[in-house]
Amino acid sequence: MTRKKKPLPPSKRIQVTDSDGWTHISRSHAKTISNKHVCSSSKKLLPSSVPTGQTLLDLRNTHSHYRSQWLTSPCHRALEDLLRNDLPPSPPIDRCIVLGLGSLSNGRRSSWWELVFLETLLQKLFPPSPPQRETPEQGKPQGPAMYAQDPVFNDLDGAFLEHLGYTVVPDPRAFDLMTASTMLFAPHLEVEVYARSLGKAKPRLCVGTAMEECLNRVNIGPNNNRKREMENEIFNAYRDATVSRPLPGFDRDPWTLFTCLYWTKPVDE
């Protein structure tokens, strides 16, 4: 982009509890941020309903639409530049865990944009192998195992994600799959769930809410002080162990706001 954006004015944190029991954290200059950027939920999440008449083919067509729009966006080009210029060679990553993507069949735009963003990231980190003749001994070339977990996934969401190569796991199984060789994809995840995942292991790569946003969040009550301290210890430890870059801005959806790409520092640093 050739034109510089005007600097954002000082932000004011706003805490809003909606009619469904969700406590949202927002800012005066970013009111359209995804509702997944929340502190807590008082309700147990259940699988969303499948819209009447929707099919797997519908989701595949929607995916193609979002993917074609994404690949021609300035944000896509900026992401490629970031990965090429800033991200160092990484030790092996053996799995990708996606948390809180949201229901794709229910039309959440940010979920689709996040999914096609993730596809670009995976393709750059794990370029396809050249075509080769397979033998029973060789088997198929393997990339990282890919897992997706969100209690709102319905059967159609699961079928579509499995079509893309993901293994959909029930909550809370994904937390037990976290290791130091994981890539975690969890933008604007609920703070306590984000802390739980980072507390299991320090993932080698992470796309998620900026640690500063989590550390500076609104306190939702005096009885949560110890819980907040424990979560902050996890966020501080991961911030200290990593290098980060903010995601490039996206002109079609605000989901990249307050979101960073993290990677762990070399052991000798």
Side-chain angles (χ1 to χ4, degrees), residues 6 35 91 94 117 124 131 143 169 183 198 225 231 264:
K6 294 181 181 180
N35 283 346
D94 63 12
F117 175 101
K124 296 300 177 183
V169 297
M183 171 182 159
L198 295 176
N225 287 340
E231 291 169 348
T264 51

Side-chain angles (χ1 to χ4, degrees), residues 241-263:
T242 56
V243 179
S244 68
R245 295 290 185 274
L247 295 190
F250 188 37
D251 60 355
R252 304 180 194 192
D253 191 272
W255 80 266
T256 61
L257 290 171
F258 315 123
T259 308
C260 291
L261 171 63
Y262 292 89
W263 60 89

